[in-house]
Amino acid sequence: MGLNLVLFGPPAAGKGTQAKRLVAERGLIQLSTGDMLRAARAAGTELGKKVAGIMDRGDLVTDEIVVALIEEQLDSNKGAAGFIFDGFPRTVAQAEALDAALAKRDMKVDSVIRLKVDEEALVARIIKRFEEEGRKDDNPDAFKVRLGNYQKQTARLLPYYSAQGKLTEVDGMANEETVAVSIRKVLDRQNGAKDVMKKGFWARLFGK
Ligand code: AMP
């Protein structure tokens, strides 16, 4: 059975970095809507043109656009070991659409890991990334808009997922390796719990 993980946190919390490590370690597929939109822009598609201004300002593109991108990827990666959702969902409507899209395909969100970070410290982190990678939406003004959107819209997903018992928090301010170890522990614990549940099922069935 696959593992579908939502990596959750504000922009520049380290979601992409950690997602890439999980791809290498566990063969999961990273679905980053930000990367998909940047690819559309680089390819000069209609979609790319449509979202360019919105992204550069740091605003969110519509739910319809990102949900369609995700559904496309779920269909073109059938049989995957699992998916890491990175930067998606960002609104409650997107989270509901994700649940429905997965349910339609006999899957579900198994785990949501929140990278908990000091939002003040993010600004310093982002200035560094802006200098290194030159992402337009990492400039301080756009970044403030992105952080504001996170606080207004995306943070509302925390109660959505914690009510479902799926949310675990890890300290995202630690160094990259330490964060990776914390994430590994959460996933291993959840896999272990699944095995125990399976064993319990067979024991009840056969009285062992
Ligand atoms: P990211 O790389 O995840 O920070 O995304 C970069 C930009 O792409 C965001 O600031 C938004 O403009 C857009 N974007 C990416 N993912 C989403 C999403 N799930 N919902 C709305 N807009 C998104």
Side-chain angles (χ1 to χ4, degrees):
M1 206 168 91
L3 170 90
N4 299 312
L5 167 70
V6 173
L7 268 185
F8 189 89
K15 303 186 293 293
T17 305
Q18 295 297 332
K20 288 192 173 65
R21 294 181 72 121
L22 289 167
V23 169
E25 284 171 20
R26 298 188 185 230
L28 303 174
I29 291 185
Q30 177 190 10
L31 297 184
S32 157
T33 41
D35 285 351
M36 293 174 211
L37 294 167
R38 278 185 289 278
R41 289 181 66 175
T45 64
E46 280 309 307
L47 172 67
K49 286 179 201 147
K50 191 167 157 188
V51 297
I54 304 171
M55 287 175 76
D56 288 346
R57 278 202 306 276
D59 270 325
L60 296 183
V61 309
T62 65
D63 293 334
E64 288 72 21
I65 289 176
V66 284
V67 169
L69 289 172
I70 289 287
E71 292 219 53
E72 248 170 59
Q73 290 299 316
L74 293 178
D75 286 336
S76 52
N77 290 288
K78 284 196 182 120
F83 296 98
I84 307 164
F85 298 95
D86 159 16
F88 177 92
R90 265 172 151 102
T91 64
V92 173
Q94 290 177 22
E96 289 170 350
L98 176 62
D99 283 346
L102 290 173
K104 239 199 294 182
R105 296 165 178 82
D106 285 325
M107 294 187 282
K108 63 178 169 55
V109 171
D110 295 294
S111 180
V112 179
I113 296 183
R114 173 190 187 188
L115 300 182
K116 213 164 175 257
V117 288
D118 168 1
E119 288 170 20
E120 299 280 304
L122 287 182
V123 179
R125 209 183 254 196
I126 208 65
I127 288 172
K128 189 162 163 266
R129 186 165 83 178
F130 184 48
E131 284 163 1
E132 283 169 4
E133 296 177 20
R135 260 179 67 169
K136 240 186 186 170
D137 62 346
D138 281 346
N139 79 67
D141 286 339
F143 187 71
K144 260 184 236 150
V145 176
R146 291 164 68 204
L147 202 53
N149 283 330
Y150 169 80
Q151 286 156 348
K152 278 195 300 256
Q153 307 238 53
T154 310
R156 290 198 205 157
L157 293 178
L158 292 169
Y160 180 87
Y161 285 123
S162 71
Q164 298 178 21
K166 290 180 179 170
L167 186 69
T168 314
E169 291 184 350
V170 310
D171 174 14
M173 293 312 287
N175 65 47
E176 185 186 322
E177 182 59 34
T178 308
V179 177
V181 170
S182 312
I183 292 176
R184 234 178 264 148
K185 276 192 197 146
V186 174
L187 297 181
D188 289 343
R189 201 162 57 223
Q190 283 170 345
N191 274 337
K194 261 192 207 165
D195 287 346
V196 169
M197 259 156 44
K198 270 191 232 150
K199 279 186 197 132
F201 172 79
W202 292 111
R204 275 198 301 280
L205 208 60
F206 295 113
K208 279 183 192 155

